[in-house]
Amino acid sequence: MRLLRLQNVTGSTRCKFGHAQEVLNYEVFQATILARTHFEFNTFYVSRAMTPEHAKSNLKILSEQCVKCGLCLPHCPTYKVFNIEPESPRGRISLMQGYCGDMLKFSDKLEERLQHCLSCRACEAACPASVEYGQMIDLSKFLLNQDSKAPFFQRILKKASTGLLTGPKYTLALTRQLVNIYQASYLRKLAQKSKILSLFKLDDSEKILPTYQQKSVNVPDLHQPEPPKVYLFSGCVAEIVDTATLQAAVDVLSAYGFQVEIPKQQGCCGAVSCHNGDLDGAHQCMEKNLNAFAGDAPIVYVATGCGAHMLEYSSPDNQAGGNFTSRLFEICEFISDYQFPQDTVIKPLNKKIALHIPCSQRNVLKNQRSSREILEMIPEIEIIDIPSNDICCGAAGTYMLNHPDVAQELLKIKLDDIRQIEPDIVASSNIGCALHMQAGLLGERSKVEVKHPIEILAQQIIDY
């Protein structure tokens, strides 16, 4: 049976305010800024009861949308790298049709071709037939998991890493402490000099670890009569390696007069599980977050990869999922819609910023202007778009760990552009992209830092 969801949420009227004490009417948040109108198969409807037969049936119907016109090929990053048909969206859809129709048996080569997809969804943005390629590749990876003959150690490591990110909050806190201890002690230098990282194939994972992170995010109490409330989605990776961005989001939202609340019951958005073929795990993440963010207050996130995935949440009756997605906002999009508080000053920043637009922001959220609008609030700043913003940087969640060779080829394109711009800072609104590019820059002994736009803004705000 074809499972369709029609989501047509258009327009929103928002209150503008310049004083922290003003109370907003949150009934206006029942619609989103952007018109999000599309038909789609919703994997989450069926993920808890998904069977290979059900996945194949849905995949067959989805694949029939593709007319094989090939307009997607120039936009596909792996097609740019390999320049062969099986590494293109059209080629992969043909492989999917053969696989789900039992015309192609599982093979290592088939798995390699399908797993090479970064799920950047640039093909969707270019497709004149609006083919739901993202849903198709997720279903394909689910099927591959059923047949995969990957080595036992590789399967255990993949399951353990996914479980760590999607597990309870205390596991994330413990991981952050262990990472901080590892970085602050001699253990990191010892591990890097020895061959232990290469032995366990952890050398690529270790390279993306950032510098020491603060223990937790400090949320101030505004001590104001009925300040407007905002939920902050913290996710999983940011809890471990990017608390600086979460703290910056809290600081900026507080400067705007919002009382920030970070629900302890929330968890991973589910993208890591979904893109690795674990649809049941993705569904569990969705249910956890739907319960954690119950209510009417807006939900703000800092990682566009998380936001792109959560935008497609839906419960079986669509009520809980619809209420959730209509309140969901990327931090720069959310802030740019309000007047800056009159009693707050932004310090000038005489620096050049290379602006990176992640695939999730460009192809799914479709709000490419929000990061620039936030940065343009800072006096004397110079902003230059990275020319290759239309090409995936290669991070793609855990892709940079699972397929480092392809990820590095794509990263080289970004690094070449950054080198030509000669920026002081690279700005990116997705944590995975930021970690990937920062590791590449450090590998070139570059002193250029990669920061979230909201962190750059927060550092310039005074007297809030």
Side-chain angles (χ1 to χ4, degrees), residues 384-390 417-418 421:
I384 300 176
D385 289 332
I386 295 177
S388 58
N389 272 339
D390 60 330
D417 284 346
I418 293 171
I421 296 172

Side-chain angles (χ1 to χ4, degrees), residues 177-226:
Q177 294 302 318
L178 292 175
V179 169
N180 285 341
I181 292 172
Y182 170 74
Q183 292 175 318
S185 66
Y186 189 70
L187 287 174
R188 186 171 198 178
K189 290 184 179 179
L190 181 63
Q192 290 172 339
K193 289 181 179 180
S194 68
K195 295 182 179 180
I196 189 169
L197 293 173
S198 299
L199 179 64
F200 290 98
K201 297 182 179 181
L202 296 173
D203 41 353
D204 290 308
S205 303
E206 202 274 344
K207 287 177 184 176
I208 67 171
L209 288 178
T211 54
Y212 180 88
Q213 299 289 304
Q214 65 187 71
K215 292 184 178 180
S216 59
V217 178
N218 177 38
V219 180
D221 189 343
L222 299 186
H223 300 293
Q224 296 171 3
E226 299 183 17

Side-chain angles (χ1 to χ4, degrees), residues 413-434:
I413 301 173
K414 286 286 184 289
L415 296 181
D416 287 344
D417 284 346
I418 293 171
R419 205 179 300 112
Q420 292 295 320
I421 296 172
E422 296 183 340
D424 298 293
I425 303 171
V426 174
S428 179
S429 57
N430 192 54
I431 176 59
C433 304

Side-chain angles (χ1 to χ4, degrees), residues 140-174:
S140 297
K141 291 181 178 180
F142 167 78
L143 290 172
L144 290 174
N145 278 0
Q146 316 305 307
D147 297 330
S148 180
K149 298 177 177 62
F152 176 76
F153 177 77
Q154 184 177 335
R155 285 184 279 120
I156 291 297
L157 185 62
K158 181 179 178 180
K159 192 173 183 64
S161 59
T162 303
L164 174 67
L165 296 176
T166 59
K169 279 288 181 182
Y170 68 82
T171 63
L172 296 176
L174 176 61

Side-chain angles (χ1 to χ4, degrees), residues 85-106:
E85 181 73 14
E87 291 287 355
S88 72
R90 181 175 65 182
R92 289 195 178 97
I93 290 175
S94 295
L95 293 176
M96 293 175 198
Q97 289 176 319
Y99 185 37
C100 69
D102 296 324
M103 292 178 286
L104 283 177
K105 299 298 182 182
F106 175 88

